[in-house]
Amino acid sequence: AQSVAQPEDQVNVAEGNPLTVKCTYSVSGNPYLFWYVQYPNRGLQFLLKYITGDNLVKGSYGFEAEFNKSQTSFHLKKPSALVSDSALYFCAVRTGTGGFKTIFGAGTRLFVKA
Amino acid sequence: ETGVTQTPRHLVMGMTNKKSLKCEQHLGHNAMYWYKQSAKKPLELMFVYSLEERVENNSVPSRFSPECPNSSHLFLHLHTLQPEDSALYLCASSQAAKSPTDTQYFGPGTRLTVL
């Protein structure tokens, strides 16, 4: 069965420091990986996705993610965190054999302290 | 968030009421989705429509009834709900339902409270 794990419920980081939000996945077949962000009282906003090619994917708001096939991971990173990055982050996966379903992780809450 | 809009943003209803949630996408997409987001649980896919045809019903109770009159509009009709149905209901759209590389774009959600 396909699954996505976000091992940390919450990540705390000081403003200006680098941040990492972790994601690992388990699928059969090639994974297509997504990161979304959710601000309070808002829907999910697309940040970036990995389809194929370069393992380092750059996305919106200065975020990037690295696809690591051997570790089945797709961690979200940003070199310098902003207070405004504080939000709920979701990792998601789809495959070519997964039909219509996108499998979402449970989410990681990021707190950036000034 | 003008790409996908949802109304109402907040809804409080009793267990015997009937109400409907509305979603509209302005992106020219062919697929639309309903998700349920409950606290501390992963997003749950409820229904998928592709070109106005329902292609996925993820074991959702019959008290939830979706309707897709055209590729831009999606409704979720609610009747005789239970308190455990209280959640944020998210609508999303994508270019095609079965393309695994397509990005889904989400509306702001309807916060539903069932008393």
PDB file of all heavy atoms in Angstrom, chain B residues 7-21 78 81-83 85-87 89 110-115:
ATOM      1  N   THR B   7     -18.107  28.093  -1.208  1.00  0.00           N
ATOM      2  CA  THR B   7     -19.095  28.764  -0.358  1.00  0.00           C
ATOM      3  C   THR B   7     -20.019  27.731   0.270  1.00  0.00           C
ATOM      4  O   THR B   7     -20.287  26.673  -0.345  1.00  0.00           O
ATOM      5  CB  THR B   7     -19.951  29.757  -1.174  1.00  0.00           C
ATOM      6  OG1 THR B   7     -20.533  29.072  -2.289  1.00  0.00           O
ATOM      7  CG2 THR B   7     -19.119  30.924  -1.656  1.00  0.00           C
ATOM      8  N   PRO B   8     -20.481  27.983   1.490  1.00  0.00           N
ATOM      9  CA  PRO B   8     -20.038  29.055   2.374  1.00  0.00           C
ATOM     10  C   PRO B   8     -18.670  28.733   2.968  1.00  0.00           C
ATOM     11  O   PRO B   8     -18.182  27.617   2.833  1.00  0.00           O
ATOM     12  CB  PRO B   8     -21.117  29.050   3.455  1.00  0.00           C
ATOM     13  CG  PRO B   8     -21.533  27.616   3.548  1.00  0.00           C
ATOM     14  CD  PRO B   8     -21.455  27.084   2.131  1.00  0.00           C
ATOM     15  N   ARG B   9     -18.057  29.694   3.626  1.00  0.00           N
ATOM     16  CA  ARG B   9     -16.778  29.431   4.277  1.00  0.00           C
ATOM     17  C   ARG B   9     -16.985  28.767   5.631  1.00  0.00           C
ATOM     18  O   ARG B   9     -16.133  28.016   6.099  1.00  0.00           O
ATOM     19  CB  ARG B   9     -15.995  30.735   4.444  1.00  0.00           C
ATOM     20  CG  ARG B   9     -15.545  31.357   3.123  1.00  0.00           C
ATOM     21  CD  ARG B   9     -14.492  30.495   2.410  1.00  0.00           C
ATOM     22  NE  ARG B   9     -13.368  30.178   3.261  1.00  0.00           N
ATOM     23  CZ  ARG B   9     -12.311  30.969   3.423  1.00  0.00           C
ATOM     24  NH1 ARG B   9     -12.242  32.131   2.796  1.00  0.00           N
ATOM     25  NH2 ARG B   9     -11.316  30.600   4.206  1.00  0.00           N
ATOM     26  N   HIS B  10     -18.106  29.056   6.247  1.00  0.00           N
ATOM     27  CA  HIS B  10     -18.431  28.456   7.534  1.00  0.00           C
ATOM     28  C   HIS B  10     -19.894  28.028   7.495  1.00  0.00           C
ATOM     29  O   HIS B  10     -20.735  28.726   6.927  1.00  0.00           O
ATOM     30  CB  HIS B  10     -18.234  29.445   8.677  1.00  0.00           C
ATOM     31  CG  HIS B  10     -16.823  29.948   8.794  1.00  0.00           C
ATOM     32  ND1 HIS B  10     -15.854  29.300   9.512  1.00  0.00           N
ATOM     33  CD2 HIS B  10     -16.226  31.026   8.248  1.00  0.00           C
ATOM     34  CE1 HIS B  10     -14.719  29.961   9.420  1.00  0.00           C
ATOM     35  NE2 HIS B  10     -14.908  31.007   8.658  1.00  0.00           N
ATOM     36  N   LEU B  11     -20.176  26.877   8.131  1.00  0.00           N
ATOM     37  CA  LEU B  11     -21.542  26.366   8.165  1.00  0.00           C
ATOM     38  C   LEU B  11     -21.758  25.627   9.473  1.00  0.00           C
ATOM     39  O   LEU B  11     -20.961  24.760   9.828  1.00  0.00           O
ATOM     40  CB  LEU B  11     -21.785  25.429   6.979  1.00  0.00           C
ATOM     41  CG  LEU B  11     -23.154  24.771   6.884  1.00  0.00           C
ATOM     42  CD1 LEU B  11     -24.237  25.825   6.717  1.00  0.00           C
ATOM     43  CD2 LEU B  11     -23.195  23.786   5.717  1.00  0.00           C
ATOM     44  N   VAL B  12     -22.831  25.992  10.160  1.00  0.00           N
ATOM     45  CA  VAL B  12     -23.240  25.277  11.356  1.00  0.00           C
ATOM     46  C   VAL B  12     -24.610  24.680  11.068  1.00  0.00           C
ATOM     47  O   VAL B  12     -25.511  25.383  10.614  1.00  0.00           O
ATOM     48  CB  VAL B  12     -23.320  26.217  12.584  1.00  0.00           C
ATOM     49  CG1 VAL B  12     -23.767  25.426  13.815  1.00  0.00           C
ATOM     50  CG2 VAL B  12     -21.964  26.864  12.842  1.00  0.00           C
ATOM     51  N   MET B  13     -24.752  23.399  11.294  1.00  0.00           N
ATOM     52  CA  MET B  13     -26.029  22.768  11.015  1.00  0.00           C
ATOM     53  C   MET B  13     -26.373  21.709  12.062  1.00  0.00           C
ATOM     54  O   MET B  13     -25.474  21.118  12.681  1.00  0.00           O
ATOM     55  CB  MET B  13     -26.037  22.140   9.618  1.00  0.00           C
ATOM     56  CG  MET B  13     -24.976  21.106   9.363  1.00  0.00           C
ATOM     57  SD  MET B  13     -24.936  20.547   7.627  1.00  0.00           S
ATOM     58  CE  MET B  13     -26.478  19.639   7.507  1.00  0.00           C
ATOM     59  N   GLY B  14     -27.662  21.508  12.244  1.00  0.00           N
ATOM     60  CA  GLY B  14     -28.124  20.457  13.127  1.00  0.00           C
ATOM     61  C   GLY B  14     -28.139  19.132  12.392  1.00  0.00           C
ATOM     62  O   GLY B  14     -28.019  19.073  11.159  1.00  0.00           O
ATOM     63  N   MET B  15     -28.289  18.072  13.139  1.00  0.00           N
ATOM     64  CA  MET B  15     -28.217  16.738  12.542  1.00  0.00           C
ATOM     65  C   MET B  15     -29.373  16.448  11.596  1.00  0.00           C
ATOM     66  O   MET B  15     -29.276  15.573  10.736  1.00  0.00           O
ATOM     67  CB  MET B  15     -28.134  15.676  13.643  1.00  0.00           C
ATOM     68  CG  MET B  15     -26.789  15.672  14.363  1.00  0.00           C
ATOM     69  SD  MET B  15     -26.580  14.253  15.446  1.00  0.00           S
ATOM     70  CE  MET B  15     -27.639  14.724  16.791  1.00  0.00           C
ATOM     71  N   THR B  16     -30.461  17.198  11.720  1.00  0.00           N
ATOM     72  CA  THR B  16     -31.610  16.931  10.852  1.00  0.00           C
ATOM     73  C   THR B  16     -31.674  17.869   9.651  1.00  0.00           C
ATOM     74  O   THR B  16     -32.564  17.760   8.817  1.00  0.00           O
ATOM     75  CB  THR B  16     -32.920  17.042  11.646  1.00  0.00           C
ATOM     76  OG1 THR B  16     -32.994  18.364  12.210  1.00  0.00           O
ATOM     77  CG2 THR B  16     -32.960  16.005  12.763  1.00  0.00           C
ATOM     78  N   ASN B  17     -30.754  18.803   9.574  1.00  0.00           N
ATOM     79  CA  ASN B  17     -30.780  19.764   8.469  1.00  0.00           C
ATOM     80  C   ASN B  17     -30.307  19.156   7.161  1.00  0.00           C
ATOM     81  O   ASN B  17     -29.637  18.113   7.132  1.00  0.00           O
ATOM     82  CB  ASN B  17     -29.861  20.955   8.795  1.00  0.00           C
ATOM     83  CG  ASN B  17     -30.394  21.823   9.908  1.00  0.00           C
ATOM     84  OD1 ASN B  17     -29.643  22.560  10.524  1.00  0.00           O
ATOM     85  ND2 ASN B  17     -31.671  21.744  10.180  1.00  0.00           N
ATOM     86  N   LYS B  18     -30.633  19.866   6.084  1.00  0.00           N
ATOM     87  CA  LYS B  18     -30.061  19.581   4.765  1.00  0.00           C
ATOM     88  C   LYS B  18     -29.396  20.857   4.272  1.00  0.00           C
ATOM     89  O   LYS B  18     -30.017  21.913   4.275  1.00  0.00           O
ATOM     90  CB  LYS B  18     -31.152  19.177   3.769  1.00  0.00           C
ATOM     91  CG  LYS B  18     -31.781  17.835   4.016  1.00  0.00           C
ATOM     92  CD  LYS B  18     -32.759  17.503   2.883  1.00  0.00           C
ATOM     93  CE  LYS B  18     -33.404  16.148   3.096  1.00  0.00           C
ATOM     94  NZ  LYS B  18     -34.334  15.820   1.980  1.00  0.00           N
ATOM     95  N   LYS B  19     -28.152  20.723   3.874  1.00  0.00           N
ATOM     96  CA  LYS B  19     -27.410  21.867   3.354  1.00  0.00           C
ATOM     97  C   LYS B  19     -26.541  21.408   2.188  1.00  0.00           C
ATOM     98  O   LYS B  19     -26.338  20.211   1.985  1.00  0.00           O
ATOM     99  CB  LYS B  19     -26.511  22.462   4.440  1.00  0.00           C
ATOM    100  CG  LYS B  19     -27.252  23.045   5.641  1.00  0.00           C
ATOM    101  CD  LYS B  19     -27.921  24.358   5.288  1.00  0.00           C
ATOM    102  CE  LYS B  19     -28.584  24.972   6.531  1.00  0.00           C
ATOM    103  NZ  LYS B  19     -29.307  26.232   6.203  1.00  0.00           N
ATOM    104  N   SER B  20     -26.003  22.385   1.467  1.00  0.00           N
ATOM    105  CA  SER B  20     -25.113  22.064   0.357  1.00  0.00           C
ATOM    106  C   SER B  20     -23.873  22.937   0.383  1.00  0.00           C
ATOM    107  O   SER B  20     -23.955  24.131   0.705  1.00  0.00           O
ATOM    108  CB  SER B  20     -25.834  22.252  -0.983  1.00  0.00           C
ATOM    109  OG  SER B  20     -26.900  21.343  -1.119  1.00  0.00           O
ATOM    110  N   LEU B  21     -22.753  22.347   0.047  1.00  0.00           N
ATOM    111  CA  LEU B  21     -21.509  23.076  -0.139  1.00  0.00           C
ATOM    112  C   LEU B  21     -21.288  23.246  -1.636  1.00  0.00           C
ATOM    113  O   LEU B  21     -21.561  22.342  -2.420  1.00  0.00           O
ATOM    114  CB  LEU B  21     -20.329  22.309   0.465  1.00  0.00           C
ATOM    115  CG  LEU B  21     -20.472  21.813   1.893  1.00  0.00           C
ATOM    116  CD1 LEU B  21     -19.164  21.179   2.360  1.00  0.00           C
ATOM    117  CD2 LEU B  21     -20.904  22.914   2.822  1.00  0.00           C
ATOM    118  N   LEU B  78     -25.536  17.662   1.854  1.00  0.00           N
ATOM    119  CA  LEU B  78     -25.405  17.079   3.186  1.00  0.00           C
ATOM    120  C   LEU B  78     -26.783  16.863   3.802  1.00  0.00           C
ATOM    121  O   LEU B  78     -27.631  17.767   3.739  1.00  0.00           O
ATOM    122  CB  LEU B  78     -24.605  18.031   4.085  1.00  0.00           C
ATOM    123  CG  LEU B  78     -23.353  18.671   3.484  1.00  0.00           C
ATOM    124  CD1 LEU B  78     -22.813  19.733   4.418  1.00  0.00           C
ATOM    125  CD2 LEU B  78     -22.312  17.608   3.194  1.00  0.00           C
ATOM    126  N   LEU B  81     -26.451  14.619   9.046  1.00  0.00           N
ATOM    127  CA  LEU B  81     -25.060  14.410   9.408  1.00  0.00           C
ATOM    128  C   LEU B  81     -24.916  14.103  10.885  1.00  0.00           C
ATOM    129  O   LEU B  81     -25.835  14.321  11.686  1.00  0.00           O
ATOM    130  CB  LEU B  81     -24.232  15.641   9.044  1.00  0.00           C
ATOM    131  CG  LEU B  81     -24.093  15.960   7.557  1.00  0.00           C
ATOM    132  CD1 LEU B  81     -23.049  17.053   7.366  1.00  0.00           C
ATOM    133  CD2 LEU B  81     -23.727  14.732   6.750  1.00  0.00           C
ATOM    134  N   GLN B  82     -23.736  13.620  11.244  1.00  0.00           N
ATOM    135  CA  GLN B  82     -23.391  13.293  12.610  1.00  0.00           C
ATOM    136  C   GLN B  82     -22.351  14.283  13.124  1.00  0.00           C
ATOM    137  O   GLN B  82     -21.603  14.866  12.326  1.00  0.00           O
ATOM    138  CB  GLN B  82     -22.829  11.866  12.687  1.00  0.00           C
ATOM    139  CG  GLN B  82     -23.761  10.807  12.112  1.00  0.00           C
ATOM    140  CD  GLN B  82     -25.082  10.758  12.855  1.00  0.00           C
ATOM    141  OE1 GLN B  82     -25.112  10.705  14.078  1.00  0.00           O
ATOM    142  NE2 GLN B  82     -26.182  10.789  12.119  1.00  0.00           N
ATOM    143  N   PRO B  83     -22.251  14.465  14.426  1.00  0.00           N
ATOM    144  CA  PRO B  83     -21.229  15.390  14.956  1.00  0.00           C
ATOM    145  C   PRO B  83     -19.816  15.058  14.487  1.00  0.00           C
ATOM    146  O   PRO B  83     -19.012  15.974  14.279  1.00  0.00           O
ATOM    147  CB  PRO B  83     -21.373  15.229  16.475  1.00  0.00           C
ATOM    148  CG  PRO B  83     -22.803  14.855  16.677  1.00  0.00           C
ATOM    149  CD  PRO B  83     -23.146  13.969  15.499  1.00  0.00           C
ATOM    150  N   ASP B  85     -18.910  14.322  11.697  1.00  0.00           N
ATOM    151  CA  ASP B  85     -18.712  14.847  10.345  1.00  0.00           C
ATOM    152  C   ASP B  85     -18.201  16.284  10.365  1.00  0.00           C
ATOM    153  O   ASP B  85     -17.868  16.840   9.309  1.00  0.00           O
ATOM    154  CB  ASP B  85     -20.024  14.797   9.554  1.00  0.00           C
ATOM    155  CG  ASP B  85     -20.518  13.379   9.349  1.00  0.00           C
ATOM    156  OD1 ASP B  85     -19.677  12.471   9.130  1.00  0.00           O
ATOM    157  OD2 ASP B  85     -21.740  13.163   9.428  1.00  0.00           O
ATOM    158  N   SER B  86     -18.129  16.879  11.529  1.00  0.00           N
ATOM    159  CA  SER B  86     -17.577  18.235  11.640  1.00  0.00           C
ATOM    160  C   SER B  86     -16.117  18.212  11.195  1.00  0.00           C
ATOM    161  O   SER B  86     -15.321  17.405  11.686  1.00  0.00           O
ATOM    162  CB  SER B  86     -17.668  18.719  13.090  1.00  0.00           C
ATOM    163  OG  SER B  86     -19.018  18.790  13.512  1.00  0.00           O
ATOM    164  N   ALA B  87     -15.780  19.091  10.264  1.00  0.00           N
ATOM    165  CA  ALA B  87     -14.436  19.093   9.681  1.00  0.00           C
ATOM    166  C   ALA B  87     -14.330  20.254   8.713  1.00  0.00           C
ATOM    167  O   ALA B  87     -15.286  20.994   8.490  1.00  0.00           O
ATOM    168  CB  ALA B  87     -14.161  17.770   8.951  1.00  0.00           C
ATOM    169  N   TYR B  89     -13.995  20.941   4.863  1.00  0.00           N
ATOM    170  CA  TYR B  89     -14.214  20.259   3.592  1.00  0.00           C
ATOM    171  C   TYR B  89     -13.558  21.082   2.489  1.00  0.00           C
ATOM    172  O   TYR B  89     -13.889  22.248   2.277  1.00  0.00           O
ATOM    173  CB  TYR B  89     -15.707  20.045   3.345  1.00  0.00           C
ATOM    174  CG  TYR B  89     -16.243  18.984   4.270  1.00  0.00           C
ATOM    175  CD1 TYR B  89     -16.639  19.297   5.565  1.00  0.00           C
ATOM    176  CD2 TYR B  89     -16.277  17.652   3.869  1.00  0.00           C
ATOM    177  CE1 TYR B  89     -17.075  18.320   6.443  1.00  0.00           C
ATOM    178  CE2 TYR B  89     -16.718  16.658   4.742  1.00  0.00           C
ATOM    179  CZ  TYR B  89     -17.108  17.004   6.032  1.00  0.00           C
ATOM    180  OH  TYR B  89     -17.527  16.031   6.899  1.00  0.00           O
ATOM    181  N   THR B 110     -14.638  24.815   3.437  1.00  0.00           N
ATOM    182  CA  THR B 110     -15.817  25.146   4.231  1.00  0.00           C
ATOM    183  C   THR B 110     -15.653  24.489   5.595  1.00  0.00           C
ATOM    184  O   THR B 110     -15.508  23.265   5.683  1.00  0.00           O
ATOM    185  CB  THR B 110     -17.115  24.635   3.576  1.00  0.00           C
ATOM    186  OG1 THR B 110     -17.324  25.314   2.337  1.00  0.00           O
ATOM    187  CG2 THR B 110     -18.300  24.872   4.499  1.00  0.00           C
ATOM    188  N   ARG B 111     -15.672  25.301   6.631  1.00  0.00           N
ATOM    189  CA  ARG B 111     -15.582  24.771   7.999  1.00  0.00           C
ATOM    190  C   ARG B 111     -16.988  24.389   8.440  1.00  0.00           C
ATOM    191  O   ARG B 111     -17.833  25.253   8.631  1.00  0.00           O
ATOM    192  CB  ARG B 111     -15.001  25.811   8.931  1.00  0.00           C
ATOM    193  CG  ARG B 111     -14.999  25.418  10.409  1.00  0.00           C
ATOM    194  CD  ARG B 111     -14.046  24.303  10.713  1.00  0.00           C
ATOM    195  NE  ARG B 111     -12.661  24.662  10.452  1.00  0.00           N
ATOM    196  CZ  ARG B 111     -11.650  23.820  10.540  1.00  0.00           C
ATOM    197  NH1 ARG B 111     -11.855  22.556  10.866  1.00  0.00           N
ATOM    198  NH2 ARG B 111     -10.422  24.220  10.294  1.00  0.00           N
ATOM    199  N   LEU B 112     -17.236  23.095   8.566  1.00  0.00           N
ATOM    200  CA  LEU B 112     -18.557  22.578   8.911  1.00  0.00           C
ATOM    201  C   LEU B 112     -18.597  22.139  10.363  1.00  0.00           C
ATOM    202  O   LEU B 112     -17.726  21.395  10.814  1.00  0.00           O
ATOM    203  CB  LEU B 112     -18.904  21.391   8.017  1.00  0.00           C
ATOM    204  CG  LEU B 112     -20.197  20.649   8.349  1.00  0.00           C
ATOM    205  CD1 LEU B 112     -21.409  21.544   8.101  1.00  0.00           C
ATOM    206  CD2 LEU B 112     -20.306  19.367   7.531  1.00  0.00           C
ATOM    207  N   THR B 113     -19.613  22.598  11.071  1.00  0.00           N
ATOM    208  CA  THR B 113     -19.844  22.162  12.441  1.00  0.00           C
ATOM    209  C   THR B 113     -21.240  21.574  12.522  1.00  0.00           C
ATOM    210  O   THR B 113     -22.214  22.233  12.135  1.00  0.00           O
ATOM    211  CB  THR B 113     -19.720  23.336  13.424  1.00  0.00           C
ATOM    212  OG1 THR B 113     -18.424  23.927  13.294  1.00  0.00           O
ATOM    213  CG2 THR B 113     -19.916  22.861  14.856  1.00  0.00           C
ATOM    214  N   VAL B 114     -21.316  20.334  12.980  1.00  0.00           N
ATOM    215  CA  VAL B 114     -22.598  19.639  13.122  1.00  0.00           C
ATOM    216  C   VAL B 114     -22.932  19.553  14.604  1.00  0.00           C
ATOM    217  O   VAL B 114     -22.162  18.985  15.393  1.00  0.00           O
ATOM    218  CB  VAL B 114     -22.540  18.234  12.508  1.00  0.00           C
ATOM    219  CG1 VAL B 114     -23.907  17.548  12.629  1.00  0.00           C
ATOM    220  CG2 VAL B 114     -22.114  18.307  11.050  1.00  0.00           C
ATOM    221  N   LEU B 115     -24.052  20.130  14.971  1.00  0.00           N
ATOM    222  CA  LEU B 115     -24.434  20.159  16.390  1.00  0.00           C
ATOM    223  C   LEU B 115     -25.325  18.979  16.745  1.00  0.00           C
ATOM    224  O   LEU B 115     -26.089  18.474  15.914  1.00  0.00           O
ATOM    225  CB  LEU B 115     -25.149  21.472  16.695  1.00  0.00           C
ATOM    226  CG  LEU B 115     -24.332  22.737  16.427  1.00  0.00           C
ATOM    227  CD1 LEU B 115     -25.170  23.963  16.674  1.00  0.00           C
ATOM    228  CD2 LEU B 115     -23.071  22.748  17.301  1.00  0.00           C
TER     229      LEU B 115
END
